[in-house]
Amino acid sequence: MAQILAASPTCQMRVPKHSSSSVITNKLWSSVVLKQKKQSSNKLRGFRVLALQSDNSTVNRVETLLNLDTKPYSDRIIAEYIWIGGSGIDLRSKSRTIEKPVEDPSELPKWNYDGSSTGQAPGEDSEVILYPQAIFRDPFRGGNNILVICDTWTPAGEPIPTNKRARAAEIFSNKKVTGEVPWFGIEQEYTLLQQNVKWPLGWPVGAFPGPQGPYYCGVGADKIWGRDISDAHYKACLYAGINISGTNGEVMPGQWEFQVGPSVGIDAGDHVWCARYLLERITEQAGVVLTLDPKPIEGDWNGAGCHTNYSTKSMREEGGFEVIKKAILNLSLRHKEHISAYGEGNERRLTGKHETASIDQFSWGVANRGCSIRVGRDTEAKGKGYLEDRRPASNMDPYIVTSLLAETTLLWEPTLEAEALAAQKLSLNV
């Protein structure tokens, strides 16, 4: 189990009397204390939430109720329906009771919500329908309870404008795409902020830490802030069944990254959105603000991206490097279309500095993190592998980015003239 003890940088909060300190100060911005009960099984049981109150007996009663195991008494489960709100990046959710455990989204009922309260429908016709699309285990409630990724539709059965999953599902169901088994590995960067001042975690309020250098993958109290949140999120993702593959501290202090994949087709978007939901919930409990702003701090500080690694069956087979170069050529010809879909505020990040390429100019290179598209040394040496699109911002929609990559490289064909001119410009011998 895990207990979440949190305090904002400017507030004080009571802790149990047996604690060595009576107050959680700004130095102890949060603590995610992971305690696992001794069980015959090593399975992770779920994250326990400690609701802090002035009366310790009240705390104990609420904690007991929050962590009740209902399985011995009822087959009914709680399903948390999750969807993307009107901004295209905010997450919403609500709970409902399901009569018995389920294994597939098709077993779940559709539901609805007030779209006028999320910026997705007018007040006079506010009903938006939730279609269950993917199921994950719920690490907060444990047991047979589930998280349900949904997309959003009108009562007439049309996807609403913010439903980007529907279009992605169309692309990923195309025979040309399914035959190539597209793999995606998504590197989600994010920044943790102090709750009351909206300033990066670990930074002195109104001031700056030392320059970048010691923080990337760093270790130590003077280099890393937020590791408990990152580790709690990692375990929550594993428990949920998300295909998380790693995590690390990033170049700017207070910034972290987790990776999801390799995932095939539409699964990549479902898994990234569910991982984002878990991170929002964990930071909520820890009293820390999560931001996916691509450039949270102006100046000589790295921004936050969502680098997307991509390959097809043909790229992974012998001779795949030629296929990769053809894909890069196509991507160069649709650079503006991709940039317009790769996240809001990305122009503040893609400046040609801090390991980025200029937003206005497409480029590619081997092992070059200052390019739009990077190809790894290993891929070049083996003559097959994958490419990394470094342009997406941290607030990108993974449904849009993954489906657009598949569409541009597998379904879209440039004119021969445009292809020849692009190949010459990029020094690509395709």
Side-chain angles (χ1 to χ4, degrees):
M1 63 179 178
Q3 294 178 328
I4 312 298
L5 306 179
S8 66
T10 58
C11 74
Q12 295 183 343
M13 194 173 293
R14 293 184 183 275
V15 296
K17 293 179 180 179
H18 62 264
S19 171
S20 59
S21 172
S22 61
V23 172
I24 297 179
T25 66
N26 62 337
K27 291 184 180 179
L28 299 177
W29 53 269
S30 72
S31 176
V32 184
V33 184
L34 300 176
K35 297 180 180 178
Q36 188 171 350
K37 285 184 177 180
K38 294 182 180 178
Q39 303 274 1
S40 58
S41 170
N42 289 326
K43 291 183 179 179
L44 181 63
R45 294 296 176 189
F47 288 84
R48 302 186 64 187
V49 181
L50 176 58
L52 294 176
Q53 302 287 341
S54 57
D55 185 339
N56 287 336
S57 62
T58 302
V59 171
N60 293 334
R61 290 197 298 270
V62 171
E63 183 187 9
T64 299
L65 291 171
L66 280 170
N67 295 286
L68 279 177
D69 182 8
T70 61
K71 284 191 295 183
Y73 310 102
S74 175
D75 290 333
R76 305 172 91 192
I77 65 167
I78 302 171
E80 190 76 17
Y81 279 46
I82 302 164
W83 71 95
I84 300 164
S87 72
I89 191 64
D90 61 311
L91 285 162
R92 309 289 179 121
S93 74
K94 61 177 183 173
S95 311
R96 70 177 297 166
T97 303
I98 304 297
E99 290 304 312
K100 62 179 182 179
V102 298
E103 295 182 357
D104 191 87
S106 62
E107 301 176 64
L108 291 167
K110 296 175 184 176
W111 205 8
N112 65 74
Y113 67 93
D114 173 15
S116 68
S117 295
T118 62
Q120 293 171 293
E124 63 272 15
D125 187 14
S126 64
E127 193 168 284
V128 179
I129 312 301
L130 293 169
Y131 286 28
Q133 298 292 359
I135 291 176
F136 297 89
R137 292 183 291 274
D138 186 342
F140 303 103
R141 295 186 174 110
N144 291 322
N145 301 302
I146 56 175
L147 306 175
V148 185
I149 297 294
C150 304
D151 59 359
T152 45
W153 301 73
T154 68
E158 297 292 329
I160 68 172
T162 52
N163 180 358
K164 306 304 180 184
R165 191 188 190 280
R167 172 58 180 159
E170 286 182 14
I171 292 172
F172 286 122
S173 63
N174 186 292
K175 289 183 178 180
K176 288 184 179 179
V177 177
T178 57
E180 282 290 343
V181 195
W183 289 2
F184 299 94
I186 298 176
E187 306 171 24
Q188 176 68 71
E189 294 179 342
Y190 60 93
T191 308
L192 300 174
L193 304 177
Q194 301 170 51
Q195 187 172 17
N196 291 343
V197 294
K198 302 298 191 293
W199 197 240
L201 205 61
W203 291 35
V205 177
F208 298 89
Q212 295 182 155
Y215 310 111
Y216 173 68
C217 296
V219 178
D222 58 341
K223 304 178 189 71
I224 289 294
W225 297 275
R227 189 185 299 278
D228 285 346
I229 289 173
S230 175
D231 283 354
H233 177 251
Y234 202 160
K235 289 189 175 181
C237 285
L238 289 172
Y239 179 95
I242 292 168
N243 189 20
I244 188 169
S245 50
T247 185
N248 60 268
E250 267 302 330
V251 177
M252 189 183 85
Q255 189 181 88
W256 289 82
E257 173 185 300
F258 65 88
Q259 302 93 33
V260 171
S263 301
V264 178
I266 198 72
D267 286 350
D270 290 340
H271 283 237
V272 169
W273 274 115
C274 192
R276 286 176 173 179
Y277 174 81
L278 294 182
L279 188 56
E280 288 277 15
R281 287 284 304 275
I282 290 168
T283 53
E284 169 192 318
Q285 293 178 357
V288 174
V289 175
L290 167 68
T291 179
L292 298 182
D293 189 306
K295 187 70 174 179
I297 303 295
E298 296 298 327
D300 195 17
W301 303 98
N302 274 36
C306 204
H307 304 151
T308 302
N309 301 279
Y310 169 61
S311 71
T312 63
K313 182 180 177 182
S314 297
M315 293 177 187
R316 297 187 293 269
E317 294 176 343
E318 294 301 323
F321 194 26
E322 293 304 311
V323 182
I324 291 171
K325 289 194 287 184
K326 175 61 168 63
I328 291 172
L329 191 150
N330 279 23
L331 290 168
S332 74
L333 291 170
R334 299 190 80 193
H335 179 61
K336 289 183 179 180
E337 289 89 340
H338 280 253
I339 287 295
S340 66
Y342 274 14
E344 186 177 350
N346 211 11
E347 72 281 352
R348 294 182 284 115
R349 168 180 162 263
L350 295 181
T351 62
K353 299 178 180 179
H354 305 109
E355 301 180 81
T356 70
S358 170
I359 195 170
D360 299 317
Q361 185 175 355
F362 182 90
S363 59
W364 82 283
V366 176
N368 187 345
R369 283 178 163 77
C371 284
S372 307
I373 304 293
R374 182 183 70 89
V375 175
R377 290 283 183 201
D378 195 48
T379 294
E380 180 188 42
K382 291 182 178 180
K384 60 182 179 179
Y386 67 96
L387 62 84
E388 177 192 38
D389 191 342
R390 297 181 59 80
R391 297 171 295 174
S394 52
N395 59 7
M396 64 81 151
D397 186 330
Y399 293 134
I400 295 176
V401 170
T402 56
S403 61
L404 191 54
L405 280 168
E407 181 184 54
T408 296
T409 60
L410 297 174
L411 303 178
W412 182 78
E413 286 293 339
T415 65
L416 291 176
E417 182 181 7
E419 189 177 70
L421 288 172
Q424 183 179 16
K425 182 178 180 181
L426 295 172
S427 300
L428 278 169
N429 183 20
V430 179

